[in-house]
Amino acid sequence: MIQRGSLYVVSTPIGNMRDITLRALDVLRAVDLVVCEDTRRTRSLLTHYDIHKPLISYNDANKTSRTPSLLAKLSNGESIALVSDAGTPAISDPGFYLVREAIKHGINLVPIPGPSAILAALVTSGLPTDRFLFVGFLSKKSGRRKTQIRSFAEERGTIILYEAALRLPKIARDLLEVLGPDRQVVLARELTKRFEQVARTDLENLPETLKEIPLKGEFVVLVSGNTK
């Protein structure tokens, strides 16, 4: 089943441990090595399914130094699974670097699809799904952040971004200032987890909505596109 010398891009649960595909489990059991952001989080998942494989951390701090050895292993016929802390690897994730380098070196890549916070939030948002723009994390600096928001102000599709809970009030202020009060907003918090919550409002009332929900955990923010 496993193709030797291949890099498997394996989606893992974003919260609920049961949200993993049978194929993902088969691959994780069969590969020679699992590359992950945080070995502690991935070991917890593998232990849950009685899978015991060597793990190596791969993050923004060490991706440049670790990539050559991983490419060498793949070139020598070893099979590797790339996973993120949660969801689909390479989406706002250091795994993108390894995928790109593997392509440059002629390594075979195999996607193992599964959970994605982006899609889970989108399909439950009630906002249009036929066109959307994922912008990841916005800048921590307000000036740069406003420039980023202006860059997608005319986008007609649903806009999706990730954001840290404690920065949401500042993000709300900048979105309101640049996009105006009428855009619909959906906040998807802790998807598939015990305290999952989806709040729907508009940019004008977003600051008040943020006062009513816990600013904890992981958020996906969706904003309606420019339909005027």
Side-chain angles (χ1 to χ4, degrees):
M1 181 194 76
I2 287 292
Q3 302 176 51
R4 309 309 304 171
S6 294
L7 177 63
Y8 288 82
V9 184
V10 182
S11 298
T12 54
I14 59 176
N16 193 313
M17 286 280 199
R18 293 173 63 84
D19 291 338
I20 190 167
T21 68
L22 296 176
R23 186 180 178 209
L25 292 175
D26 286 343
V27 168
L28 291 170
R29 290 189 178 103
V31 293
D32 299 303
L33 174 68
V34 177
V35 174
C36 53
E37 283 185 89
D38 187 330
T39 56
R40 294 167 299 180
R41 295 187 65 166
T42 299
R43 185 172 287 108
S44 177
L45 172 67
L46 298 185
T47 300
H48 182 82
Y49 286 102
D50 196 26
I51 298 172
H52 306 280
K53 291 290 175 176
L55 303 177
I56 184 170
S57 66
Y58 191 87
N59 50 52
D60 284 323
N62 65 24
K63 63 186 182 184
T64 303
S65 62
R66 291 205 165 162
T67 296
S69 65
L70 293 174
L71 294 176
K73 290 178 182 295
L74 289 163
S75 297
N76 288 332
E78 294 189 42
S79 55
I80 296 177
L82 170 67
V83 304
S84 69
D85 280 349
T88 300
I91 304 293
S92 287
D93 174 85
F96 167 74
Y97 185 84
L98 179 58
V99 168
R100 186 174 58 182
E101 292 302 305
I103 292 170
K104 290 179 182 178
H105 287 77
I107 302 298
N108 182 50
L109 278 96
V110 183
I112 309 297
S116 167
I118 300 168
L119 295 181
L122 179 63
V123 298
T124 55
S125 69
L127 298 178
T129 59
D130 56 335
R131 171 174 170 147
F132 62 91
L133 173 67
F134 174 63
V135 297
F137 289 93
L138 296 180
S139 173
K140 295 180 180 179
K141 298 181 178 180
S142 181
R144 171 62 177 157
R145 191 162 59 232
K146 290 177 185 177
T147 299
Q148 291 174 320
I149 296 171
R150 291 188 193 100
S151 74
F152 57 72
E154 301 303 316
E155 169 60 43
R156 292 181 288 112
T158 298
I159 300 153
I160 308 174
L161 54 109
Y162 288 154
E163 196 46 74
L166 295 180
R167 290 204 300 154
L168 280 172
K170 294 181 180 179
I171 300 296
R173 179 196 64 204
D174 290 346
L175 287 170
L176 175 60
E177 179 179 331
V178 177
L179 301 180
D182 299 328
R183 301 281 189 105
Q184 293 178 287
V185 183
V186 178
L187 302 174
R189 170 179 172 268
E190 293 288 86
L191 290 173
T192 78
K193 300 177 184 177
R194 179 181 178 186
F195 297 107
E196 177 180 279
Q197 183 178 13
V198 178
R200 298 173 177 86
T201 183
D202 55 36
L203 283 179
E204 183 175 23
N205 294 296
L206 180 56
E208 290 302 314
T209 301
L210 290 175
K211 295 177 183 178
E212 299 170 359
I213 62 177
L215 292 184
K216 298 179 180 179
E218 299 172 346
F219 279 81
V220 182
V221 181
L222 304 96
V223 182
S224 60
N226 186 351
T227 58
K228 294 183 180 180

